[in-house]
Amino acid sequence: MIQPGRNMPHQAAPVHFIADLPLPRRAINALTRGGIFTLEEAAAWRDEELLSLPQCGPAAVAKLRVLMDHHIPVEPEISPCA
Protein backbone atom coordinates (compact mmCIF):
# COMPACT_ATOMS: atom_id res chain seq x y z
CA MET A 1 0.00 0.00 0.00
CA ILE A 2 1.29 3.45 -0.89
CA GLN A 3 0.94 6.02 1.83
CA PRO A 4 0.87 9.72 1.01
CA GLY A 5 4.37 11.12 1.33
CA ARG A 6 5.93 7.66 1.33
CA ASN A 7 7.02 5.44 -1.50
CA MET A 8 6.22 8.26 -3.88
CA PRO A 9 8.80 9.71 -6.24
CA HIS A 10 10.12 13.07 -5.09
CA GLN A 11 8.59 15.89 -7.09
CA ALA A 12 10.84 18.77 -7.97
CA ALA A 13 9.77 22.26 -7.00
CA PRO A 14 8.09 24.14 -9.85
CA VAL A 15 10.28 26.35 -11.99
CA HIS A 16 9.08 29.83 -12.89
CA PHE A 17 10.60 31.01 -16.16
CA ILE A 18 11.38 34.72 -16.35
CA ALA A 19 9.80 34.98 -19.81
CA ASP A 20 6.47 33.75 -18.40
CA LEU A 21 6.31 36.24 -15.53
CA PRO A 22 4.37 39.52 -15.54
CA LEU A 23 7.45 41.68 -15.95
CA PRO A 24 8.16 44.46 -18.44
CA ARG A 25 9.87 43.20 -21.61
CA ARG A 26 12.91 45.38 -20.78
CA ALA A 27 13.36 43.61 -17.42
CA ILE A 28 12.93 40.17 -19.01
CA ASN A 29 15.56 41.01 -21.62
CA ALA A 30 17.95 42.40 -19.00
CA LEU A 31 17.66 39.28 -16.84
CA THR A 32 18.04 36.79 -19.67
CA ARG A 33 21.01 38.69 -21.10
CA GLY A 34 22.51 38.44 -17.62
CA GLY A 35 22.07 34.66 -17.66
CA ILE A 36 19.00 34.55 -15.40
CA PHE A 37 16.25 32.40 -16.88
CA THR A 38 14.15 31.48 -13.84
CA LEU A 39 12.75 33.23 -10.81
CA GLU A 40 14.60 30.72 -8.67
CA GLU A 41 17.92 31.76 -10.26
CA ALA A 42 17.09 35.44 -9.69
CA ALA A 43 16.42 34.66 -6.00
CA ALA A 44 20.08 33.72 -5.60
CA TRP A 45 21.19 37.20 -6.68
CA ARG A 46 21.47 40.15 -4.28
CA ASP A 47 19.61 43.33 -5.19
CA GLU A 48 22.89 45.10 -5.94
CA GLU A 49 23.83 42.37 -8.41
CA LEU A 50 20.47 42.57 -10.16
CA LEU A 51 20.72 46.36 -10.32
CA SER A 52 24.14 46.03 -11.99
CA LEU A 53 22.48 44.44 -15.02
CA PRO A 54 21.91 47.01 -17.79
CA GLN A 55 18.22 48.00 -18.02
CA CYS A 56 17.33 46.29 -14.70
CA GLY A 57 16.24 49.10 -12.40
CA PRO A 58 14.81 49.38 -8.89
CA ALA A 59 11.20 48.90 -10.04
CA ALA A 60 12.08 45.63 -11.80
CA VAL A 61 13.97 44.34 -8.76
CA ALA A 62 11.07 45.27 -6.48
CA LYS A 63 8.63 43.42 -8.77
CA LEU A 64 10.97 40.39 -8.80
CA ARG A 65 11.04 40.31 -4.99
CA VAL A 66 7.22 40.42 -4.87
CA LEU A 67 7.04 37.56 -7.36
CA MET A 68 9.60 35.59 -5.34
CA ASP A 69 7.54 36.06 -2.17
CA HIS A 70 4.46 34.81 -4.01
CA HIS A 71 5.96 31.88 -5.94
CA ILE A 72 8.93 30.56 -3.97
CA PRO A 73 8.11 28.89 -0.67
CA VAL A 74 10.33 29.81 2.24
CA GLU A 75 11.61 26.90 4.23
CA PRO A 76 11.09 27.43 7.95
CA GLU A 77 14.17 27.90 10.05
CA ILE A 78 14.95 24.94 12.26
CA SER A 79 16.27 25.92 15.64
CA PRO A 80 18.72 23.58 17.32
CA CYS A 81 17.54 21.73 20.36
CA ALA A 82 18.89 23.14 23.59
Side-chain angles (χ1 to χ4, degrees), residues 5-7 10 18 22-23 29-30 33 35 50 57 63 71 81:
R6 293 184 167 263
N7 304 324
H10 177 70
I18 292 293
L23 290 169
N29 290 340
R33 285 186 191 125
L50 292 168
K63 178 72 173 177
H71 291 292
C81 296

Side-chain angles (χ1 to χ4, degrees), residues 45-56:
W45 287 51
R46 295 187 326 261
D47 287 358
E48 297 80 21
E49 294 171 317
L50 292 168
L51 290 168
S52 74
L53 296 171
Q55 303 299 318
C56 189

Side-chain angles (χ1 to χ4, degrees), residues 36-80:
I36 301 171
F37 299 98
T38 69
L39 191 59
E40 292 74 16
E41 290 172 340
W45 287 51
R46 295 187 326 261
D47 287 358
E48 297 80 21
E49 294 171 317
L50 292 168
L51 290 168
S52 74
L53 296 171
Q55 303 299 318
C56 189
V61 172
K63 178 72 173 177
L64 272 172
R65 294 296 175 206
V66 168
L67 290 168
M68 288 173 199
D69 289 344
H70 184 264
H71 291 292
I72 301 174
V74 176
E75 294 184 25
E77 290 186 29
I78 299 173
S79 34

Side-chain angles (χ1 to χ4, degrees), residues 4-16:
R6 293 184 167 263
N7 304 324
M8 302 280 292
H10 177 70
Q11 292 185 7
V15 174
H16 302 91

